[in-house]
Amino acid sequence: MTDALLRCSKLSKSYQDGNNEVTVLKDIDFSLQAGEMVAVVGTSGSGKSTFLHLLGGLDKASGGQLFYKTDEMTHWKADKLAQWRNQNLGFVYQFHHLLPEFSALENVAMPQMIAGKSPAEAKRQAKQLL
Ligand SMILES: Nc1ncnc2c1ncn2[C@@H]1O[C@H](COP(=O)(O)OP(=O)(O)OP(=O)(O)O)[C@@H](O)[C@H]1O
Ligand SMILES: [Mg+2]
């Protein structure tokens, strides 16, 4: 068996609500192989978005470990996580978070431009993706 592309072990997330700590995710073990397609289902408020935000390096877990291939991401600093997201992750938000000042094409091209591609090359690739 090959290493998982993305994997978590005992991943937990709690939010502070006034004096109360609300635990949304507790000890989640999960792994995703390259090319695998997975749907996470559950009732509203059960923690799906919270889970995806942790897996996508958009939010920090309260406990547990997260791995990309064999690298442990759990303690990566913000700039390393940002670079990883730029190069490896596509995230379609529940609330879309598009940049309203830019066209659809420019929104798709943006990550490539941030990664250093020329605007022309980024737009050419964005057109293909769209
Ligand atoms: N930033 C936050 N601060 C406090 N509580 C939060 C925060 N984000 C989410 N929660 C709580 O965590 C729980 C899980 O929320 P989450 O958005 O992950 O659920 P969901 O499964 O994606 O729901 P939906 O199907 O409605 O999108 C909810 O009780 C929510 O109120
Ligand atoms: Mg959600």
Side-chain angles (χ1 to χ4, degrees):
M1 188 176 130
T2 54
D3 282 322
L5 186 68
L6 207 51
R7 178 167 74 83
C8 68
S9 171
K10 302 220 171 304
L11 205 66
S12 302
K13 180 72 181 178
S14 305
Y15 292 108
Q16 204 66 35
D17 180 19
N19 288 329
N20 296 329
E21 188 172 86
V22 181
T23 299
V24 177
L25 301 173
K26 188 157 185 268
D27 294 343
I28 306 283
D29 292 339
F30 172 83
S31 75
L32 186 76
Q33 301 294 320
E36 192 178 7
M37 201 181 284
V38 169
V40 179
V41 296
T43 52
S44 182
S46 60
K48 304 178 294 293
S49 292
T50 304
F51 180 54
L52 294 179
H53 291 163
L54 297 182
L55 282 186
L58 296 157
D59 197 4
K60 284 277 178 200
S62 312
Q65 293 171 294
L66 184 62
F67 298 87
Y68 174 65
K69 296 181 180 169
T70 53
D71 290 345
E72 186 175 351
M73 302 164 64
T74 322
H75 304 296
W76 282 1
K77 299 237 178 334
D79 56 348
K80 182 153 188 191
L81 266 178
Q83 193 184 25
W84 175 79
R85 287 196 306 266
N86 180 261
Q87 291 173 5
N88 297 288
L89 193 87
F91 203 106
V92 179
Y93 287 90
Q94 185 165 356
F95 303 100
H96 47 68
H97 295 309
L98 292 171
L99 303 169
E101 301 85 354
F102 298 94
S103 67
L105 185 70
E106 287 165 338
N107 267 274
V108 176
M110 198 65 70
Q112 303 243 27
M113 288 197 262
I114 290 169
K117 289 242 164 75
S118 73
E121 175 59 14
K123 282 188 184 174
R124 194 189 64 73
Q125 289 198 359
K127 225 175 239 174
Q128 249 174 3
L129 288 170
L130 284 172

